[in-house]
Amino acid sequence: MTTSNKKNLEMRFSGAGGQGLQLCAKIFSKALIGEGYHVSMSQSYEPTSRGGLSRADIVASGDTPDYPLTTELDVLLILDQAAVNASEGIIRDDATVIIDPRRTKNPPQGNFKVIALPLSETAIKLGSERITNVVATGVIAALSHDIPLDIVEGALKSISPKKFLALNMDALHAGVELARGLKTA
Amino acid sequence: MTVQQNVAQATPTINLPTINLQGNHACALGAVAAGCRFYAGYPITPSSEVAERLAKELPKVGGVFLQMEDEIASIAATLGASMGGVKAMTATSGPGFSLKQENLGYGMKAEIPCVVVNVMRGGPSTGMPTRPAQGDLMQARWGTHGDHPVVALTPGSVEEIYQQTARAFALSEKLRIPVIVLFDESLGHLEETITLPDVTEYENTIRKWATGKPEDYKPYKADADGVPPMARPGDGYRVHTTGLIVAEGGFPTQKADVVAPVMKRLLDKIEINNDLVESFEDIDCQDAEVVVVALGIVGRSAKKAVRELRQQGIKAGLFRPITLWPFPTKSFRALTKKAKYFVVAEMNAGQLILEIGAAKVDKQSVSGLNRYDGEPISPSLIKQAVKEVLGHE
Amino acid sequence: MNEQATLKSKEDMTQDDIRNFEIRDYLRLDLFPHFMCPGCGHGIALRALLWAIHAQGIDKDKLAIVSGIGCSGRVGTYIDANTYHTTHGRPLAFATGLKMARPDLHVVVITGDGDCLAIGGNHLIHAARRNLDITCLMLNNEIYGMTGGQVSPTTPADRFTTTTPAGNMEPVFDACRLAEAAGAGYVGREVTIHLPRLRDIIAEGLAYKGFSFIEVMSDCTEVNGRKNDLGSSPEMVLGQTRAMRPSEYDNNVVDHPFRPNSMNTGVLVRSNRPEYGTSYRNMVDKVQALQQKGQK
């Protein structure tokens, strides 16, 4: 079924309800399954569909994990201040933490690397703040060594409704550009 | 590691599909695979996806999906369909499980097979609708009035939800009893990569139907297995079904000398079929100094903790009931003879621990690790609790 | 098992169908003597129901009687059919599951004013709304009889009961109007003294494809009549009859929601709404056809 030499990867997409964090998780879940990982995807949300803390987690591993929920995050996305405290104490020292400074004034403190990028601003420039999640997806895809970009593109294509596909693709590539800017800087 | 599973050990056959599936959807698909052709339910978080998936799946196989006017009507319609001879299920969460209790008791007493799923959320009362909890373990056992046996299964993964939901139908049909399936919100909403287990044997398990001449048939005269064959409407038996205590002939009685044996059979029915009902997972219990007892998602957490503790040279084991009720006390005792300590980890204020307290022997000590704040119990908390009872900080 | 139950319309029923009725053919005689008090109207209602079943030529093996709790709930026990004595207020919900699972059965619910309108009120309005092919017979004796005579949603104003020692102050439900408003396709009401009329209303209800609701004005001499000096059974039944207006003579009178002297009898509603079971099976056929198309 899967090759067990794959290393475990724990990702969290967090923010406020309605920011499309489940979609981020779904895209990476699909991409990782395509890469032969065993993927466990969990979520936590408030009873209302909009606002409040929302998060979607992925635990990717070579085989069925003993524990399918996150315990040590490798990748953390924070799109809203409401989500900062939720990950306290479970971020690895070598983790990549990506935040949107426009909505996250006090990022988490620790030994890990915090990368602040104008995610929502980029989305607004493209036409809608609602695609901030896809911009973030592009950033994470570009920064990750485990998931080839074309696999993420494929996953987004398979999930995106047709009428939003072009916009979503633009957002994904804008995110990739943001990440590349980082690398050259 | 051994998993004891006495009803139809699921043996993988060729080309079983590997898919990513959510726990609640696995519950729905496991039910359909087991032959469920009737579902009645009422929307409630966090179990609604069970209903939503069945609304899609049941018409495809010619089954009936009904969204009823309330939780009580849902279990009533489920029992009604089963009385008509169809494998039937309802699913709910905390408040709905409370509302269903009276009719659940009716099903137990009138011996009507069905499956009742409770995707547990934080309680009491409306509690925390989108947070996981294991606060309904004792409610599953003692929620209805009066004495009767209960069969409750507590799967620990998405794959197991599929399998145990299917198995619940088989046990329910075979033993003529509503079977409860309990898992918490985090498992209900967890999506995992799974290989769909083969449940053909569960699908093929159907209740014993009445045969022979109607005039010789006694609706509550049991066979050696303690289970009476059931009469299907339309087959010519024209029997009476009631929540009242009845004599073997099926009609109400309050005569002590008639009631006593009737009640005794009902109470013993599950115990004499324990080989069929019992199931649990045991990891390194035999030589363990500390045995962690946990079920559902906490069982998963404990599995990771126990493995890591063993790597550190600590003799830890895990006992995870898959059949919670009746609790597998005998097997538990036999496996944990060497244990000095039990750590009972559960997402409630202390329910499973009552059973372990009753099952432990001699000087074995029992301590609880409890969380009721809507967050799961992490492996590190369990490791810490084990180290604490052993006196290493 | 999926074949639907069909019956004769009023026009198709002949005098022969109605004659030759022997109630013993439909009773579990070994359970006698029955539990009903002398003068109780439920026995007459039972006779009317069995007579209607006979007139319709329903096979007892295909007859399912579903009842709830209370005096009405126990009536079904005496019927030689598939009988289900369920929980308080829930017979319509049980019957809904049974009928959807087994459309070949004739499903008759026997319920009471407390069972159907108080604890089970929600199920009545939704069963009426769905219009599933069930015949619901509500035996209205205006009291909780089995528990010793407490006030019910149909106890008339000023009546003395064990829980209204100073007389009842609550307005009553008009069950038929409630059922009609909720969508029941066939609604009727009759007093027990008019046995042939009651029989015919039930027979037509049995044949109706949809939810038929029939309120039988029954009398409870033991804990209602006695406490209120309403006399013995004949006097109570005559009193009830005076309080009713047969609808065929009195169709133009605007009805009032409160009794006394305001309720119509006869067939009150006949409508042509889609029957739920049929609609459901049509949907299943469509889904399965689409699926087969997809597979090709």
Side-chain angles (χ1 to χ4, degrees), chain B residues 38 59-66 68-70 72-73 76-77 79-81 83-84 102-103 106 232-234 236 238-244 251, chain C residues 28 31 60-61 74 77 80-88 90 93-94 96-98 100-102 105 122-123 126 130 276 280 283-284 287-288 291:
Chain B
F38 184 96
K60 290 186 201 165
V61 292
V64 174
F65 171 89
L66 282 181
M68 294 299 287
E69 55 271 20
D70 59 38
I72 299 172
L79 290 166
M83 296 182 320
E102 186 201 6
N103 282 323
Y106 180 86
R232 184 167 32 197
R238 300 197 300 275
V239 300
H240 186 58
T241 303
T242 174
L244 292 163
F251 294 104
Chain C
R28 288 171 171 151
L31 297 184
K60 290 188 288 184
D61 285 340
R74 297 237 179 173
T77 313
D80 183 19
N82 307 284
T83 53
Y84 302 96
H85 178 220
T86 68
T87 49
H88 198 14
R90 320 301 169 197
F94 276 83
T96 299
L98 181 60
M100 286 302 287
R102 291 291 302 274
L105 298 176
N122 198 28
H123 309 306
H126 288 276
R130 260 180 225 114
Y276 181 71
Y280 186 88
M283 178 274 288
V284 166
V287 168
Q288 291 187 328
Q291 210 188 353

Side-chain angles (χ1 to χ4, degrees), chain B residues 7 20 26 41 51 61 64 66-67 74 81 142 152 175 183 191 198 206 224 246 250 255 310 334 340 342 346 375 377:
Chain B
V7 179
N20 252 57
V61 292
V64 174
L66 282 181
Q67 182 170 317
S74 302
W142 302 108
L175 303 172
F183 52 90
E191 205 181 291
D198 178 31
I206 49 166
V246 293
K255 287 182 193 149
R310 282 271 168 179
K340 288 182 191 151
F342 294 112
E346 48 186 334
E375 290 295 327
I377 299 175

